[in-house]
Amino acid sequence: MNAKFLPILIASAIALSACAGAGPATSPPNTLTAVKVDAAAMDAAASFWANAPKTEIATKAADKSAKDGPKITLQAVYDSKNVVVRAEWADSTENTTRNAWTYNGTAFTRAGAQDRFAMNFPMGNYASFSSKGCAVACHSTDPDEAKWWMGSESPDERYDVWHWKSSETGLVNQVDDQWWGPKDTITSTTGRKNDAGTGGPVTNASADGKSPKFMNGKAPDAKLILSGEEIPLDVTKLKAGAVIPGYVLAPFKGSRGDVASKATFANGKWVLVFTRPLSTGNADDLVFTPPKAVPFGLAVFDNAGDNDHTVSQEVLTLAWK
Amino acid sequence: MSKIGDWIDKRTGLGGPIRGFLNYPVPKYVHQNVLYILGGLTLIMFMLQAVTGIMLAFYFDPSPEGAYNSVDFITYQLPLGWLIRGIHHYGSGAMVILVALHMLRTYFFSAYKKPREINWLTGVLLLFVTLAFGFTGYLLPWDQKGYWATRVGTQIAGSVPLIGDTLMQLMRGGPNLGQATLTRFYATHILLLPAMIALLIAVHIFQLRYHGMSPAITEKSKAQSKSFVPFFPYWVLNDAIAGLGLLALLVFLSATQRAPLEFPADPTSGNFVPRPEWYFLFYYQALKYVPGALEPVATVLIPLFIFGSMILLPFIDKGEERRPWKKPVTTIAAIFYIVVIIGFTVLAL
Amino acid sequence: MSHDLEPLDPAKGAWDTKEMGRRRFLEVTFWSVTSVVTVGVVGSGGRFLVGNSLEPRTANWVQIGKIAELKVGAVNRVNYAMKATDAWREVEQKGALYAYTADGASYTVLDGSCTHLGCIVQWAASENRFRCPCHAAEFTREGEVMSGPPPKALGRLETKIQDGALFARI
């Protein structure tokens, strides 16, 4: 009996079996694995992205007859304080002019929408969301589309929502930090709410609603009118064909401004990076506690002003490595 | 020191028995063979499970609403919670492995033979109690894995002819999995099974001391069987060092891979594939090969056959021969079982 | 441990005399290993069991009633409820307080827990005092000890008035 090697053999047998019992060795599909880095920065070209695994997420419309949305390529990194997500998807057009005014030399017409991207995270351990995905919060099974609504069915069920809007928040490098809860009233069609805070877009319309009220004081043709830099509309400075933004933007302050973003559109592709502290200290935000995996949902909106969007219909998981 | 010791000894009378226990003569062939640490190591592993289990009970909430959140709290928020739960989780697997290895050692050394039959029988019961600990334990977090494995596990009991339904409802505490099931499994896991295992361990160790070590089987061992060392510190130290190594391994595993906690149990989820803990995987795989009509064969006859053959072993194999290479029938039967169990487990991974 | 080993029955065998020389060394090794493990287990186990139990209480502003509904010149017993995290549960934490105002502008809000052993004191309006049902302690309307065993006055909470409602820091 060669007994000397036995302890080693036993130890390795135990180690192996215990590892085998630890769960699936390969990362399952629909899992976004955030990789730990020394300093997570909101930089789409940073070298650490080379080490962060890419996950492809397919998106579909709730309306079965509508065509599928783009595939989203997701990556994530984190450090001791922040998580950074990088999303990339194909889009034939860059749309960042929601409700913008176009001047034809005599009058204005208001039109336009924006590209958007959103993620939502349950703020607790909700069995149905983590097994069925985002669909449980999108009450979209009724044949009558007018009855669809978004939100939760109980005050104990809340979702943290990060809603990037290319025109309303993207232009000031932010994401609208929102949350979903139950409907406020029986007749209301949404449980979507904004995190606490001030700032945000203010519609840019004159009292009669026929023209913009303000224009950019420095460059009349700029895509952005930052709050404080607006001047009253002065048509003498405009040429025919000029486009005036539909909103005056003030960056969010407070909990609603917790998520920062940076987006670029080039070669038919959006590249969006956004970041948030793992813990914001605000009651309306989810606290990430790596390595605890959390489920999430994802939606992309192509030039949409309303709820027209395509979503991942799978359970998505944010894991940490 | 000795004055206090004398004072206590005069009043309790424990000095003699303790000295007797510690100075028990262990044959040198036993002390020098590492295979003999397996029993003691299993006991150490059980003690680690008991200690970490008691600690976890300070935070566990045995209700379907609270169980998951409390285990989540232990794993991700409580200081050192990852460690205590990690040791308990990986320890359960280590316990199964150690019991199995200890049992194989006993088997191949023919230590179950007369007069040690009772020791073998308590050992078989200890194996099943260990598995029962595992089965009742992993429902407790009330996550998808625990919920579905229990739902399927109790359904297996339900396929027993005639009494199946009754059996299943008794296990579940009702027709469905719910609060009653969780409370039952919890009480079984932390009260009933510990009491049973403590009793069995006591009988098991008493038997060992009563009959002494089983005879040496090799010529080399026989030559050393007249030479003895005291149990303490010689043998105890072997186990203590092995135990330290085991603890270090469990700490390492807990630190590198957090004890798993899947998403919370959803009785309405349609796409979850229930899989049991790895030590039940071979059985899970075996069930895949059995056609529906023969289900009672797989769920009743095969387990009954395995359990029955283990119980009957010392009464069937009664010959004097103890060397495994001279007893091809038992040796080949054991190797067959090992190959099937490992093979099915690998297939199921 | 006793170091005298009784000689074994010669028919059974004998103590290994060569091994006996290492006995003391092995004992020391055993106790060293055991102490290391014990320190590790007791230390980490103790930390785990202490858990978050010693974290300081956090104070929150809680609305305890509308100004219009609180009677002036009388002691009002008010129940409050607030969302709180209780270990791993989100709960509605409830409690009882006493609020008194003479002028409707400045309020005295007292924690109803007796400072002796924590029973809830009752307001005896006819005698103009708080009375503890457990050990016969009495407090004035302002919470000062009148008689009985309590070591100090009833806890007085910080208050503020906002949007027509009275808030207290709990």
Side-chain angles (χ1 to χ4, degrees):
Chain A
M1 188 74 38
N2 192 349
K4 294 229 172 84
F5 295 102
L6 216 97
I8 302 165
L9 211 74
I10 295 172
S12 37
I14 293 174
L16 274 175
S17 331
C19 286
T26 52
S27 180
N30 294 319
T31 297
L32 169 61
T33 305
V35 175
K36 178 121 194 190
V37 295
D38 291 335
M42 206 173 56
D43 174 4
S47 58
F48 52 63
W49 294 116
N51 302 322
K54 287 183 176 175
T55 310
E56 288 241 307
I57 311 281
T59 61
K60 289 185 164 80
D63 175 357
K64 302 270 188 304
S65 60
K67 73 177 181 41
D68 289 351
K71 276 206 167 92
I72 317 286
T73 305
L74 283 182
Q75 286 173 287
V77 294
Y78 72 108
D79 59 20
S80 56
K81 289 205 175 70
N82 299 295
V83 57
V84 183
V85 179
R86 184 183 193 278
E88 205 180 298
W89 70 97
D91 189 338
S92 54
T93 51
E94 177 188 17
N95 307 100
T96 57
T97 52
R98 181 172 192 219
N99 288 333
W101 300 95
T102 308
Y103 185 57
N104 66 5
T106 51
F108 288 92
T109 48
R110 197 177 196 194
Q114 59 186 340
D115 297 327
R116 292 185 280 152
F117 179 88
M119 289 172 92
N120 72 344
F121 298 89
M123 290 177 67
N125 299 315
Y126 312 142
S128 57
F129 187 94
S130 51
S131 91
K132 300 188 189 74
C134 191
V136 298
C138 313
H139 302 79
S140 58
T141 46
D142 199 288
D144 179 6
E145 232 178 277
K147 287 186 180 157
W148 294 3
W149 66 280
M150 210 166 277
S152 81
E153 307 207 16
S154 126
D156 294 329
E157 196 179 313
R158 295 186 302 151
Y159 297 89
D160 192 0
V161 177
W162 302 349
H163 195 164
W164 175 80
K165 308 167 183 174
S166 66
S167 131
E168 285 172 281
T169 72
L171 293 173
V172 287
N173 293 332
Q174 280 186 327
V175 168
D176 196 351
D177 190 359
Q178 303 174 303
W179 65 279
W180 295 349
K183 291 193 279 195
D184 290 327
T185 61
I186 223 89
T187 51
S188 107
T189 54
T190 180
R192 293 161 49 193
K193 294 147 216 253
N194 297 322
D195 280 14
T198 56
V202 175
T203 190
N204 179 25
S206 59
D208 63 5
K210 288 184 175 154
S211 65
K213 191 172 175 191
F214 299 110
M215 57 193 276
N216 187 311
K218 292 172 185 158
D221 238 3
K223 273 185 176 180
L224 166 68
I225 308 177
L226 203 58
S227 173
E229 292 180 359
E230 74 272 34
I231 56 164
L233 179 71
D234 178 359
V235 284
T236 60
K237 289 183 178 165
L238 297 178
K239 294 187 197 115
V243 176
I244 305 280
Y247 297 89
V248 176
L249 301 187
F252 298 121
K253 291 215 172 77
S255 182
R256 200 176 169 188
D258 285 328
V259 190
S261 75
K262 210 180 265 179
T264 49
F265 184 88
N267 307 322
K269 208 156 66 169
W270 275 111
V271 176
L272 167 66
V273 274
F274 50 103
T275 183
R276 204 207 74 174
L278 294 168
S279 171
T280 63
N282 298 319
D284 43 24
D285 288 316
L286 172 68
V287 180
F288 292 106
T289 49
K292 181 188 172 174
V294 286
F296 68 94
L298 172 157
V300 62
F301 308 66
D302 182 14
N303 194 24
D306 54 12
N307 294 332
D308 250 359
H309 62 312
T310 54
V311 299
S312 166
Q313 298 189 339
E314 308 285 336
V315 180
L316 307 176
T317 305
L318 172 58
W320 313 82
K321 199 167 82 177
Chain B
M1 177 67 201
S2 77
K3 251 187 171 172
I4 299 171
D6 276 355
W7 191 92
I8 294 173
D9 185 25
K10 286 223 174 69
R11 278 146 192 89
T12 60
L14 284 174
I18 290 177
R19 247 193 309 279
F21 186 83
L22 294 177
N23 289 342
Y24 179 82
V26 176
K28 249 189 110 174
Y29 73 88
V30 169
H31 171 236
Q32 295 198 333
N33 189 338
V34 192
L35 290 174
Y36 283 96
I37 64 169
L38 287 167
L41 199 53
T42 311
L43 182 62
I44 291 173
M45 189 61 250
F46 168 70
M47 293 190 314
L48 282 174
Q49 291 299 83
V51 169
T52 50
I54 289 170
M55 287 178 184
L56 290 171
F58 274 72
Y59 294 101
F60 180 67
D61 177 351
S63 71
E65 299 77 33
Y68 186 89
N69 286 339
S70 68
V71 177
D72 178 339
F73 180 78
I74 290 168
T75 314
Y76 297 109
Q77 288 179 48
L78 210 52
L80 297 181
W82 59 271
L83 178 65
I84 305 299
R85 182 164 173 255
I87 292 175
H88 201 71
H89 170 80
Y90 292 114
S92 73
M95 180 97 187
V96 172
I97 293 174
L98 287 167
V99 169
L101 291 175
H102 174 52
M103 206 152 192
L104 286 174
R105 204 274 303 152
T106 310
Y107 184 88
F108 283 118
F109 285 20
S110 291
Y112 50 81
K113 295 200 169 191
K114 185 185 163 188
R116 298 182 180 79
E117 295 96 330
I118 300 287
N119 216 358
W120 171 260
L121 294 183
T122 49
V124 172
L125 293 179
L126 281 166
L127 168 68
F128 282 87
V129 170
T130 302
L131 294 175
F133 263 116
F135 182 65
T136 51
Y138 69 86
L139 170 69
L140 303 184
W142 207 253
D143 63 353
Q144 287 282 70
K145 177 172 194 148
Y147 179 88
W148 288 99
T150 306
R151 188 149 152 174
V152 174
T154 48
Q155 196 85 41
I156 288 174
S159 73
V160 174
L162 302 174
I163 56 162
D165 259 354
T166 317
L167 206 60
M168 183 178 84
Q169 291 211 16
L170 283 174
M171 283 173 84
R172 290 182 177 176
N176 298 313
L177 236 63
Q179 177 69 66
T181 325
L182 182 55
T183 312
R184 261 161 202 253
F185 275 51
Y186 182 58
T188 307
H189 190 82
I190 71 155
L191 297 169
L192 182 61
L193 292 175
M196 283 168 70
I197 205 169
L199 198 67
L200 285 168
I201 288 173
V203 175
H204 199 68
I205 290 175
F206 177 76
Q207 288 290 305
L208 172 71
R209 281 303 169 86
Y210 182 68
H211 295 297
M213 300 308 301
S214 64
I217 58 168
T218 62
E219 295 307 319
K220 195 178 153 215
S221 307
K222 276 180 189 154
Q224 291 181 323
S225 62
K226 290 277 181 193
S227 185
F228 293 89
V229 289
F231 175 69
F232 180 85
Y234 292 84
W235 197 1
V236 175
L237 183 60
N238 283 356
D239 273 330
I241 290 171
L244 187 64
L246 178 65
L247 181 60
L249 179 67
L250 296 174
V251 171
F252 171 76
L253 286 171
S254 310
T256 46
Q257 173 94 55
R258 213 52 77 101
L261 177 64
E262 297 196 359
F263 286 139
D266 179 11
T268 62
S269 85
N271 52 1
F272 186 78
V273 182
R275 282 161 63 84
E277 252 330 292
W278 64 264
Y279 40 84
F280 291 124
L281 275 181
F282 75 95
Y283 186 57
Y284 161 85
Q285 184 70 15
L287 289 179
K288 289 186 187 169
Y289 301 130
V290 180
L294 291 177
E295 186 152 303
V297 173
T299 56
V300 182
L301 283 186
I302 292 177
L304 216 58
F305 177 78
I306 295 176
F307 183 66
S309 58
M310 285 173 133
I311 294 287
L312 291 176
L313 172 71
F315 307 104
I316 296 168
D317 179 26
K318 288 163 77 169
E320 283 297 313
E321 185 56 71
R322 289 174 183 271
R323 291 167 296 181
W325 55 92
K326 298 274 183 185
K327 322 164 48 214
V329 176
T330 53
T331 304
I332 289 170
I335 291 173
F336 172 75
Y337 272 124
I338 295 169
V339 168
V340 167
I341 289 176
I342 293 180
F344 277 20
T345 305
V346 169
L347 282 176
L349 282 177
Chain C
M1 297 308 134
S2 165
H3 272 78
D4 309 319
L5 288 175
E6 312 238 333
L8 297 174
D9 177 0
K12 183 181 168 86
W15 295 113
D16 186 319
T17 43
K18 204 173 128 216
E19 280 284 350
M20 289 307 114
R22 298 198 298 150
R23 196 159 162 224
R24 173 59 74 181
F25 168 72
L26 294 183
E27 276 179 9
V28 170
T29 315
F30 171 79
W31 288 115
S32 317
V33 169
T34 310
S35 349
V36 168
V37 173
T38 309
V39 167
V41 169
V42 169
S44 48
R47 181 67 195 91
F48 175 81
L49 291 184
V50 169
N52 302 332
S53 57
L54 300 180
E55 275 182 12
R57 190 192 293 248
T58 50
N60 285 306
W61 285 106
V62 174
Q63 181 182 328
I64 59 171
K66 295 267 178 239
I67 294 296
E69 289 164 10
L70 294 170
K71 275 185 236 146
V72 175
V75 170
N76 299 272
R77 184 179 166 131
V78 284
N79 296 325
Y80 67 89
M82 63 170 174
K83 281 211 178 301
T85 304
D86 177 6
W88 49 87
R89 279 176 189 259
E90 299 299 319
V91 295
E92 188 114 291
Q93 195 175 26
K94 291 176 181 171
L97 300 171
Y98 289 101
Y100 174 79
T101 180
D103 51 13
S106 78
Y107 283 81
T108 305
V109 176
L110 296 174
D111 181 351
S113 317
C114 181
T115 51
H116 176 220
L117 293 172
C119 301
I120 299 291
V121 298
Q122 302 295 331
W123 175 245
S126 57
E127 297 163 62
N128 200 30
R129 63 189 60 178
F130 289 107
R131 211 182 260 289
C132 181
C134 292
H135 305 103
E138 293 179 325
F139 300 88
T140 66
R141 195 180 59 199
E142 302 299 313
E144 301 299 331
V145 182
M146 292 171 78
S147 68
K152 57 180 185 201
L154 291 174
R156 197 181 259 225
L157 305 177
E158 208 184 321
T159 58
K160 69 174 180 186
I161 294 170
Q162 197 180 306
D163 307 330
L166 178 64
F167 287 76
R169 217 164 127 83
I170 295 179

